[in-house]
Amino acid sequence: MTKILMVCLGNICRSPLAEGILKSKLPKQNYFIDSAGTSNYHIGSSPDSRSVNIARHNNIDICLQQARQFTAQDFKDFDVIYAMDNSNLKNILALAQTETEKSKVKIILNESYPNSNKDVPDPYHDTDKGFENVFNMLDKACSIIANRYLNN
């Protein structure tokens, strides 16, 4: 089973969307997809209602997810770790103890825009339109990820 982790800052906006989107594209019997945040701000919280709404609008249910904090154990538990932005990438890599652990970490939008190191903007202080834009960015990246796994 391939295990993929999506990581943002608080684990209530971007990474829950990325988790839900990728789960909708890959067979659950072969893939375990989870999400976490680099901060401890929202541990135990449900995703932001705006993330839940945009996911639901796209026939994806993320309302049962609960925020958790990224830990060093995640390097052992997951095969690939996708950071939503460069700040979270830096925070994740700060916990890595080996080159193998570091090699598991990628910026998710490099899937859509190779080697660009573009950030998925944090929509927390944005409008519903910001959440829609984030959903579309993540949907495109997750489609590329899913197609690669399904065609290997």
Side-chain angles (χ1 to χ4, degrees):
M1 177 171 284
T2 301
K3 297 178 181 179
I4 303 167
L5 183 65
M6 304 295 189
V7 183
C8 69
L9 180 63
N11 193 209
I12 61 167
C13 295
R14 296 171 289 175
S15 57
L17 279 173
E19 174 188 344
I21 293 166
L22 192 58
K23 277 182 175 177
S24 76
K25 297 176 183 298
L26 290 172
K28 62 184 174 189
Q29 65 271 22
N30 299 329
Y31 297 91
F32 177 78
I33 299 141
D34 195 13
S35 61
T38 56
S39 75
N40 62 0
Y41 304 145
H42 301 286
I43 293 173
S45 296
S46 297
D48 186 288
S49 61
R50 297 164 294 176
S51 285
V52 172
N53 290 340
I54 192 66
R56 185 179 296 126
H57 179 75
N58 288 278
N59 300 311
I60 297 170
D61 185 1
I62 63 169
C63 67
L64 296 179
Q65 294 180 23
Q66 282 194 319
R68 71 174 185 87
Q69 189 171 15
F70 181 86
T71 68
Q73 181 64 38
D74 289 319
F75 289 112
K76 294 171 180 50
D77 294 343
F78 289 89
D79 303 303
V80 181
I81 299 167
Y82 282 106
M84 297 297 119
D85 62 34
N86 285 279
S87 176
N88 287 297
L89 175 74
K90 181 180 171 187
N91 293 335
I92 295 165
L93 291 175
L95 295 176
Q97 296 183 353
T98 67
E99 289 304 313
T100 299
E101 290 178 350
K102 288 179 184 177
S103 72
K104 292 182 177 189
V105 187
K106 304 172 185 317
I107 292 183
I108 194 161
L109 288 188
N110 280 347
E111 296 294 342
S112 309
Y113 308 96
N115 303 311
S116 67
N117 296 329
K118 288 185 175 192
D119 292 344
V120 175
D122 189 343
Y124 187 72
H125 296 290
D126 203 343
T127 64
D128 290 349
K129 185 71 175 163
F131 280 80
E132 184 179 342
N133 290 339
V134 164
F135 182 92
N136 292 333
M137 287 177 196
L138 292 173
D139 187 52
K140 181 178 179 182
C142 287
S143 290
I144 292 166
I145 294 166
N147 286 336
R148 185 172 56 251
Y149 280 111
L150 294 172
N151 292 318
N152 278 343

